[in-house]
Amino acid sequence: MRRRVWCGVGWAVLVTALTLIVYGSRAWAGASRTGPSRSGPSAPAPAAGVASESTGARTGAGAGAGADVGVPAIARVWPVGVRPSVLRGWEPPATPYGPGHRGVDLAAAPGSPVRAVAAGRVAFAGRVAGRGVVTVELAGTGLRTTYEPVRPSVEEGAEVGAGDVVGVVATGAHCGASACVHWGLLRGGTYLNPLSLLPPWLLGRGPSRLLPVLTG
């Protein structure tokens, strides 16, 4: 009789132990598949404009910051001459009001014609600080070019094409004893390198091309 009782008790303990092992293993497997509870803390989302360390992509409002200025090479002529000497090149300032050279100085004799390098509209033609200045807004670009010192032959609002004469070289103190034309390029209030407007064939870095004969 006692032997039967102990056998029954042992069998019950064994069944209980097997049940706990089976259900315990299933619960552990389910937890490993679902991961941590959704109610727990999650990793913070990247802030707007911050580069992702894994992808390098920028997100939010800062995307695209620091993109290239993208100046189109739309010039069809130099402002003066055929391939004038550059007396002083582009020297961008480190700060908006710092020292530098916001354009290029091109050698030109007094009285030489000054031409629009590309099609556009004359935004200004007059005197600034005692020097004659012509400003041309280049069509469809958001850019404008400046030429000084010149004696303007155009009026504000006039439409000009590439190669059209906008004035003649005037004497001035910009280049000291040497006569020159200071050629500038701006987008909004930012000065850019005007030589960026010249395609390689005008800069002398590409195949030669026949140019129209310019008169006047």
Side-chain angles (χ1 to χ4, degrees), residues 19-212:
T19 301
L20 292 174
I21 291 172
V22 170
Y23 281 97
S25 62
R26 289 180 179 178
W28 178 86
S32 64
R33 286 195 301 270
T34 58
S37 172
R38 292 183 180 180
S39 62
S42 59
V50 177
S52 166
E53 291 183 358
S54 60
T55 64
R58 297 185 67 85
T59 61
D68 186 82
V69 294
V71 176
I74 58 174
R76 293 297 173 259
V77 294
W78 285 84
V80 289
V82 176
R83 192 165 293 165
S85 299
V86 177
L87 301 179
R88 185 178 179 185
W90 164 248
E91 301 168 13
T95 61
Y97 301 102
H101 193 231
R102 297 164 174 82
V104 295
D105 294 342
L106 306 177
S112 301
V114 178
R115 305 179 188 278
V117 298
R121 184 184 68 86
V122 177
F124 178 81
R127 299 187 72 80
V128 176
R131 287 183 293 195
V133 178
V134 173
T135 300
V136 177
E137 295 177 343
L138 304 183
T141 65
L143 301 168
R144 63 187 189 276
T145 56
T146 61
Y147 313 95
E148 62 173 293
V150 300
R151 292 199 303 273
S153 59
V154 291
E155 296 182 353
E156 185 174 332
E159 300 290 333
V160 295
D164 286 354
V165 176
V166 296
V168 297
V169 179
T171 56
H174 184 80
C175 292
S178 302
C180 75
V181 166
H182 178 80
W183 179 28
L185 176 66
L186 298 95
R187 174 180 284 127
T190 302
Y191 285 87
L192 306 170
N193 185 357
L195 295 180
S196 302
L197 291 170
L198 298 173
W201 59 270
L202 268 178
L203 283 169
R205 295 199 299 261
S208 299
R209 291 181 57 176
L210 294 177
L211 297 178

